[in-house]
Amino acid sequence: MDLDVGRGNIIEELDPRMKLLLVVVFTAFTFLSPDNFVLMLNYILILILFFSSRLYLKGLKVLLYIMALTLVAEAGELIQNDQFQNVFCMIFQFLQRISAFVIMGIWMASRLKVGDFVTAIENMHMPKGITITMAVTFRYMPTVRQEFGYIKKTMRLRGVGLNFKNVIIRPLKTIEYSIVPLVIRCFTIADELAASAMTRGLDLETKRVSYHEVKIKTSDVLITLLFIAAIVSASIFGSKLKGEFV
């Protein structure tokens, strides 16, 4: 019997293994972009992934973040000191590329059903240590983000909001009220999630049973190949396309 309700579109319901493949390919090609024009083409494709998955707000945040990094990197060209200019531009160009790892991780985790992901990884006959680590990781980050939200609300109640003003005026108290409880909660959350994983039988040698049938469909392969072909084409022909416009 099919227990699935409220299923999303074809991008949202992409097989976890195909999502993982897209994350690896997109981050690799974006990080190794030969120039800024190709880099922007790659980020356009990443934004298409976000908006196709109906992650509109997160996609908008990614767009604003990349635009801000690009503007700062371009502003670095105005620095008169050549040595400082080179270091400044190199740092922000590196940030533009390394950010793809975090951004693609956010895309994958946002619509990921951890149970289906674990089942998919087990079907690949991955070692139990890798399966448990990845399952706990994808559960860990959203939980930590939620806990940090609670900490910020508590700080506002104490009159020490987490903002730029308090970081400058009262740095020690801001750190005390934000970082210390977050670190303590992180250790507790890690223990709780590890215990939860053991309770769900992730460490058992026998094959687990899943409510949902997790298998790669033809549509999953076609969509994945389409996006991979797009980013490979952007990396190969992007520089030539730039030459035509410039």
Side-chain angles (χ1 to χ4, degrees):
M1 182 176 64
D2 189 6
L3 298 177
D4 291 351
V5 292
R7 307 294 282 184
N9 62 35
I10 192 172
I11 304 296
E12 293 176 90
E13 298 302 324
L14 205 61
D15 184 87
R17 288 159 288 191
M18 295 295 99
K19 286 187 175 183
L20 187 60
L21 177 59
L22 284 177
V23 169
V24 172
V25 173
F26 269 60
T27 52
F29 274 88
T30 303
F31 184 78
L32 298 174
S33 298
D35 54 54
N36 286 335
F37 185 77
V38 174
L39 181 67
M40 291 301 108
L41 289 179
N42 291 345
Y43 270 116
I44 289 173
L45 292 172
I46 291 175
L47 288 171
I48 290 174
L49 275 179
F50 271 84
F51 293 127
S52 300
S53 302
R54 295 189 291 190
L55 299 170
Y56 304 119
L57 182 58
K58 290 182 179 180
L60 181 59
K61 289 180 179 179
V62 169
L63 175 61
L64 294 175
Y65 173 74
I66 295 303
M67 288 178 61
L69 280 182
T70 303
L71 288 174
V72 172
E74 292 296 327
E77 301 291 339
L78 302 176
I79 298 175
Q80 299 299 321
N81 188 301
D82 291 340
Q83 185 175 2
F84 184 69
Q85 181 191 87
N86 292 335
V87 173
F88 183 89
C89 293
M90 183 180 65
I91 290 174
F92 278 92
Q93 288 174 3
F94 178 76
L95 281 176
Q96 286 177 304
R97 286 162 168 74
I98 202 68
S99 295
F101 291 87
V102 178
I103 291 170
M104 286 302 298
I106 291 172
W107 170 76
M108 181 173 179
S110 296
R111 297 293 186 189
L112 184 67
K113 298 178 178 66
V114 179
D116 290 351
F117 176 74
V118 172
T119 301
I121 294 298
E122 288 182 336
N123 291 340
M124 295 173 63
H125 304 290
M126 298 289 286
K128 285 290 182 181
I130 295 178
T131 303
I132 294 173
T133 300
M134 297 182 75
V136 171
T137 299
F138 279 109
R139 292 252 187 216
Y140 184 77
M141 297 310 296
T143 306
V144 171
R145 184 176 58 187
Q146 186 179 32
E147 288 292 331
F148 192 63
Y150 295 151
I151 290 172
K152 288 196 294 184
K153 291 179 181 178
T154 304
M155 290 176 65
R156 283 199 296 268
L157 290 175
R158 292 174 174 266
V160 190
L162 187 59
N163 50 49
F164 182 77
K165 176 183 176 181
N166 285 330
V167 170
I168 299 299
I169 298 176
R170 295 181 282 186
L172 294 180
K173 184 164 289 189
T174 303
I175 293 174
E176 178 186 355
Y177 283 17
S178 60
I179 303 300
V180 174
L182 181 62
V183 170
I184 295 174
R185 283 298 298 156
C186 283
F187 286 116
T188 305
I189 292 169
D191 291 338
E192 291 174 352
L193 290 179
S196 175
M198 300 301 103
T199 304
R200 293 171 182 267
L202 289 182
D203 60 333
L204 297 178
E205 295 299 327
T206 55
K207 184 175 176 60
R208 296 169 61 252
V209 178
S210 175
Y211 284 116
H212 304 141
E213 184 181 10
V214 182
K215 63 179 182 180
I216 300 176
K217 301 184 290 292
T218 303
S219 58
D220 296 333
V221 176
L222 292 176
I223 290 295
T224 303
L225 290 177
L226 178 63
F227 275 104
I228 290 177
I231 197 166
V232 170
S233 299
S235 298
I236 294 175
F237 302 110
S239 298
K240 295 181 180 179
L241 186 63
K242 177 185 176 181
E244 295 180 3
F245 282 105
V246 176

